[in-house]
Amino acid sequence: MVKVREAHPELEDGSIDIRGWVARLPPVAGQADPAKLVAACELAQAAERTQPTSATAWGTGASCFRTGLEMAEILADLNLDNDSLVAAVLYRAVREGRLPLADVEARFGAGIAHLIDGVLRMAAISRARFGDEQGPVLGRGEDQSDTVRKMLVALVDDVRVALIKLAERTCAIRAVKDDKERRQRVAREVADIYAPLAHRLGIGHIKWELEDLSFRYLQPVAYKKIAKLLDERRLDRQRYIDELKVLLQKSLSAAGIEAELSGRAKHIFSIWKKMQRKGIGFSQVYDIRAVRILVNNLRDCYAALGIVHGLWRNVPDEFDDYIASPKDNGYRSLHTAVIGPEGKILEVQIRSRDMHEEAEFGVCAHWRYKGSDQGDAKASGYEEKIAWLRQVLDWYEETGGRGDIAEHFSRAQDRVYVFTRDGHVVNLAQGATPLDFAYSIHTEVGHRCRGAKVNGRIVPLTYILKTGEQVEVITGREDAPRRDWLQPALGYLKTQRARAKVQAWYRQQAREDNIAAGRALLEKEFKRLALTSLDYRAVAHRLHCTSVEDMYAQAGAGDLSANQVLAAAQALVGLGREAPETLVTAPRKPRRRGAANLQIAGVGNLLTQIAGCCKPVPGDAILGFITKERGVSIHRQDCHKIIRLHERQPQRVVEVSWEGESRRTYPVDIEITAYDRQGLLRDITQLLAGERVNVLSVQTVSDTASNTATLRLTVEITGLAALSELLNRIQRLRNVVSAYRVGEIH
């Protein structure tokens, strides 16, 4: 059923009367700040005037401003908040490049900008090829629309984003009525993605419109046939329903049940779906004639059911109690089919008014209650609807009734969904890189990968991919991976599948080549860490290798990483006389201690006490505040008092941690050589701070003749593997030539 829309109010010059339009919106909580909505409308209108709407906008030349108003009207009917309506009004102007998102954030705040950005990211779904699923995607049999649905789950972090997108797609499918070229694609997208989303959110009237319109465009013959059959019998059906409502109303009133009765419109797509599912003809669809009964409470629902069954005989196997067993989207109602007057089959739906509001508006029915005192039940219902958004896919049906929905959902949340250049969707593990993407396409593509573009821009192979991005692999002639790709600290590969493919390639190489490559790799690492007196045989023995050459061969083939070898070397420190070489100096004793099992950074020996305002316990994230007379007061990091103190006197707020959380650390001297540039020291210290590495001393020397800088730092590290990773990260900074440990170890 397609909703008939009112025309926008206009002024004498033909422009839209913005204030009149705002005043006409439903009087819900979302209109608490009409001035903000008026300002958004004026901004969107001005943005459209700067550049006339082209025929490419939506493919129809539709006004982006009027479309924004139509989207806001849909959301206002759903009782959404004011920010959602403002975002809807501005969305098309931002998407069409008429209005920078930064300007929206500056005028209306980060919250509204975040909503628009979320809908823009969801727009990436439209780049996928709906309706073009004749063959497997990238050589795999995974269904493309299911993959896109999973991607949608990963994109949406605020239910309002999904609702704004639903409103936008509703406007889009309305707008393509006369556009034969775009009708099929938009209808397929709506049928595959957005009608199911509306169902999962329980928004009945949006779902029905999307289903009917997409069905109308995808299967016009079947649509017209059912529409014609419905139209031919409309008058008789209406007369029958009116007479039946009078009879039912008398019986319900006599039983003391206050009820509201209405004829229920049957949607064309749902009729066709039932005919297909049950293999029946139009005349056998019982709920063509239907009555809905709305009562005040749950008890009256079952009382009304008894009255209906007392008046007419029910049809066997045509009763559903969705109150006792709600549908997967939370829908609750009683459905029964009876043989009514004149021997005609009649469907009766019975529900309370609250159930009806949820059936029509789903998650939106709870917006007015969110954060209010109007009952915990409604608030908890809202949160349940949010959880359902996170299950956009019908997991249970998808697995044939097997498996755990929560398990499937958690897997979806750990994935990243990106596009190929041709618009196909590929799902990868969180943290995946362009190199992981290349290996997911084909092993040979991964071996030959030498670079990558994300959204048309060249990025390093260590770039962390984000959902919705388009990735293009740049390949070279040489069909050989790089050994550096296997070093975890360098961040080239995240997925074990890609790592295994690189390792398999190196295993196929000659043993002599692997020995040479492994020796070069390990000796370079040992030299950089100043491990010049290391007993390689002891390290190889600890790694269960038959010889040092075997250790080299395994390292060269990728079966042993440099970090594994370093961990074995580090472990030799505790072997007493059998390992005379001390690889690192003894761990430093805790430099500063306070009472109450606390390690205090940045201050001397001070008395500590637990703050009475938040009473932190071991395990809580904490901060300290240096008082004038009582030492250091320990607060939880989210304590309102410490937050205010940090704003007023940040110099007196210190980092503290529970004693059990402290790590053994070792002082190590490292030397960094780099081409001098502005901000070099800042970048290095920021990296060290990000890695939570404590710096004990810094010395810098610049050589103006060669334009180089040498930095000598003493830092505290937890072991050789951590030092190796730190040096790798430093050496990847811009202009850095080398980073290594200073001095020999004996």
Side-chain angles (χ1 to χ4, degrees):
M1 182 180 71
V2 180
K3 181 180 177 181
V4 178
R5 303 182 301 279
E6 296 182 38
H8 296 132
E10 296 183 349
L11 300 172
E12 293 182 0
D13 60 358
S15 62
I16 292 178
D17 180 3
I18 293 175
R19 284 175 172 75
W21 175 82
V22 171
R24 197 180 67 179
L25 293 175
V28 295
Q31 297 311 302
D33 187 7
K36 189 176 184 180
L37 188 55
V38 169
C41 292
E42 291 173 346
L43 180 61
Q45 190 176 49
E48 184 172 68
R49 287 171 177 166
T50 60
Q51 178 184 348
T53 301
S54 66
T56 59
W58 286 55
T60 60
S63 162
C64 71
F65 173 52
R66 290 178 181 268
T67 299
L69 298 186
E70 187 177 345
M71 288 169 59
E73 289 168 356
I74 293 171
L75 298 177
D77 287 338
L78 296 177
N79 299 330
L80 252 66
D81 63 342
N82 191 266
D83 281 1
S84 301
L85 271 60
V86 170
V89 168
L90 298 173
Y91 169 71
R92 290 303 309 185
V94 174
R95 182 173 177 181
E96 293 179 13
R98 303 168 185 274
L99 182 63
L101 189 59
D103 290 357
V104 173
E105 183 172 357
R107 288 197 59 174
F108 298 100
I112 290 174
H114 176 76
L115 290 176
I116 296 175
D117 182 60
V119 185
L120 289 170
R121 287 187 290 121
M122 285 185 70
I125 293 172
S126 298
R127 298 202 298 264
R129 290 184 171 183
F130 294 98
D132 184 18
E133 302 172 11
Q134 302 302 317
V137 179
L138 299 176
R140 293 181 290 173
E142 185 177 31
D143 184 278
Q144 181 74 352
S145 16
D146 280 348
T147 306
V148 175
R149 290 191 192 104
K150 294 175 188 175
M151 173 184 160
L152 185 147
V153 176
L155 277 171
V156 177
D157 59 0
D158 186 327
V159 69
R160 293 175 296 172
V161 171
L163 295 170
I164 296 170
K165 185 61 182 178
L166 278 177
E168 190 263 351
R169 287 292 88 187
T170 302
C171 295
I173 199 167
R174 290 172 179 174
V176 295
K177 178 181 178 181
D178 300 318
D179 187 345
K180 294 182 180 179
E181 293 183 4
R182 297 184 67 245
R183 239 178 3 212
Q184 287 283 320
R185 190 191 65 78
V186 174
R188 173 56 59 195
E189 179 185 12
V190 166
D192 284 349
I193 304 298
Y194 295 103
L197 175 59
H199 167 73
R200 296 297 295 177
L201 294 175
I203 309 173
H205 74 287
I206 293 288
K207 170 203 168 189
W208 295 324
E209 179 173 358
L210 294 178
E211 285 181 341
D212 275 3
L213 284 176
S214 57
F215 179 56
R216 176 181 178 179
Y217 299 144
L218 293 174
Q219 300 200 44
V221 175
Y223 178 91
K224 290 177 182 177
K225 181 179 179 180
I226 296 174
K228 183 179 179 181
L229 290 170
L230 283 174
D231 189 59
E232 287 174 351
R233 304 181 186 183
R234 178 172 287 113
L235 293 178
D236 288 341
R237 189 167 62 250
Q238 189 61 50
R239 174 195 58 79
Y240 182 83
I241 293 296
D242 290 342
E243 293 175 357
L244 189 133
K245 282 164 55 181
V246 173
L247 177 59
L248 254 179
Q249 189 73 66
K250 289 180 179 178
S251 299
L252 292 168
S253 298
I257 299 175
E258 182 182 341
E260 177 184 339
L261 277 69
S262 62
R264 185 179 69 84
K266 185 65 179 175
H267 301 280
I268 294 176
F269 176 75
S270 62
I271 294 173
W272 176 83
K273 191 175 180 181
K274 179 170 286 191
M275 291 167 59
Q276 296 297 309
R277 186 175 69 248
K278 295 189 174 183
I280 58 178
F282 181 81
S283 61
Q284 295 173 283
V285 179
Y286 296 146
D287 52 354
I288 296 298
R289 291 173 293 273
V291 172
R292 178 177 293 139
I293 302 174
L294 301 184
V295 295
N296 292 328
N297 51 53
L298 179 63
R299 182 186 61 186
D300 287 349
C301 289
Y302 288 99
L305 177 66
I307 290 173
V308 170
H309 283 175
L311 288 171
W312 305 293
R313 181 166 59 89
N314 66 296
V315 178
D317 300 325
E318 290 294 333
F319 170 70
D320 294 296
D321 187 348
Y322 294 121
I323 295 178
S325 301
K327 290 186 177 182
D328 55 359
N329 64 351
Y331 174 85
R332 294 181 298 158
S333 186
L334 297 174
H335 290 196
T336 186
V338 298
I339 302 175
E342 304 175 20
K344 295 180 178 179
I345 302 295
L346 169 76
E347 185 193 63
V348 181
Q349 291 183 356
I350 306 169
R351 62 179 72 145
S352 70
R353 288 178 170 82
D354 284 347
M355 295 175 192
H356 179 65
E357 187 176 19
E358 290 184 17
E360 292 293 309
F361 300 107
V363 63
C364 310
H366 299 273
W367 267 101
R368 67 185 67 181
Y369 305 106
K370 186 184 180 188
S372 72
D373 299 326
Q374 299 184 38
D376 294 336
K378 291 188 180 293
S380 63
Y382 171 82
E383 297 304 329
E384 289 174 7
K385 293 287 186 179
I386 299 297
W388 286 326
L389 172 64
R390 298 295 189 179
Q391 298 169 8
V392 173
L393 293 177
D394 194 348
W395 295 110
Y396 195 73
E397 290 182 6
E398 189 176 280
T399 57
R402 300 181 300 275
D404 181 9
I405 291 177
E407 180 184 352
H408 286 298
F409 169 64
S410 65
R411 290 175 185 170
Q413 293 305 300
D414 291 336
R415 309 299 289 176
V416 171
Y417 301 88
V418 296
F419 289 108
T420 67
R421 183 176 58 183
D422 297 328
H424 292 302
V425 180
V426 177
N427 74 81
L428 302 164
Q430 281 282 356
T433 65
L435 201 52
D436 290 303
F437 171 86
Y439 276 106
S440 74
I441 295 175
H442 196 278
T443 302
E444 296 303 317
V445 176
H447 289 345
R448 295 174 56 201
C449 178
R450 295 298 176 264
K453 292 182 179 179
V454 172
N455 295 336
R457 180 174 57 88
I458 293 179
V459 297
L461 291 179
T462 54
Y463 177 84
I464 304 300
L465 297 174
K466 295 182 284 293
T467 292
E469 293 180 325
Q470 186 182 58
V471 187
E472 181 180 350
V473 177
I474 301 172
T475 56
R477 295 181 180 180
E478 186 181 2
D479 185 11
R482 301 287 192 258
R483 293 185 186 274
D484 287 349
W485 295 354
L486 291 172
Q487 296 189 41
L490 298 181
Y492 284 105
L493 294 172
K494 167 70 176 180
T495 63
Q496 189 57 41
R497 181 171 177 263
R499 187 178 303 277
K501 289 183 177 182
V502 177
Q503 290 173 336
W505 189 91
Y506 279 109
R507 288 193 194 101
Q508 295 173 1
Q509 309 309 305
R511 177 176 171 82
E512 291 74 16
D513 293 340
N514 284 333
I515 290 174
R519 177 185 286 110
L521 173 69
L522 294 180
E523 288 183 351
K524 177 183 177 182
E525 189 69 15
F526 292 147
K527 182 179 179 181
R528 188 174 63 161
L529 297 176
L531 300 176
T532 55
S533 302
L534 185 63
D535 185 348
Y536 290 175
R537 286 177 297 177
V539 176
H541 177 72
R542 190 166 189 86
L543 290 167
H544 306 290
C545 297
T546 57
S547 64
V548 175
E549 283 193 345
D550 187 37
M551 178 179 71
Y552 288 150
Q554 290 190 39
D559 293 329
L560 271 180
S561 69
N563 278 354
Q564 288 175 295
V565 178
L566 291 176
Q570 178 77 56
L572 292 176
V573 175
L575 296 182
R577 296 179 181 178
E578 297 179 9
E581 298 85 1
T582 303
L583 302 182
V584 292
T585 58
R588 292 174 58 91
K589 295 180 180 180
R591 293 176 295 122
R592 291 173 283 273
R593 292 191 60 177
N597 294 326
L598 296 169
Q599 292 286 101
I600 304 180
V603 296
N605 294 324
L606 291 177
L607 175 69
T608 62
Q609 62 176 352
I610 299 298
C613 52
C614 56
K615 297 182 176 63
V617 296
D620 289 337
I622 52 178
L623 286 173
F625 180 75
I626 303 176
T627 66
K628 293 181 178 179
E629 300 177 353
R630 294 176 296 171
V632 178
S633 178
I634 308 302
H635 298 258
R636 283 172 43 179
Q637 285 188 7
D638 58 355
C639 174
H640 294 296
K641 188 172 182 179
I642 194 67
I643 292 173
R644 290 196 299 270
L645 290 171
H646 193 279
E647 292 174 351
R648 297 171 184 172
Q649 303 178 70
Q651 72 279 4
R652 295 173 65 182
V653 176
V654 295
E655 290 187 10
V656 294
S657 61
W658 302 104
E659 187 173 37
E661 296 176 357
S662 61
R663 299 180 300 172
R664 292 178 52 152
T665 57
Y666 307 84
V668 173
D669 294 329
I670 61 175
E671 185 168 295
I672 303 168
T673 304
Y675 291 108
D676 204 0
R677 63 174 173 82
Q678 188 175 8
L680 176 64
L681 181 60
R682 178 201 61 204
D683 290 349
I684 293 173
T685 53
Q686 281 183 350
L687 185 149
L688 295 171
E691 296 295 318
R692 303 187 69 84
V693 173
N694 189 41
V695 181
L696 302 179
S697 67
V698 179
Q699 295 178 345
T700 62
V701 177
S702 295
D703 185 345
T704 54
S706 60
N707 194 35
T708 60
T710 302
L711 292 82
R712 177 75 68 90
L713 297 87
T714 302
V715 298
E716 290 184 324
I717 54 95
T718 57
L720 292 175
L723 176 59
S724 175
E725 183 170 345
L726 178 64
L727 294 176
N728 278 328
R729 292 184 181 276
I730 292 174
Q731 197 152 346
R732 285 162 59 187
L733 291 174
R734 184 163 55 92
N735 280 33
V736 172
V737 177
S738 64
Y740 57 93
R741 184 178 181 178
V742 179
E744 292 188 2
I745 303 301
H746 298 287

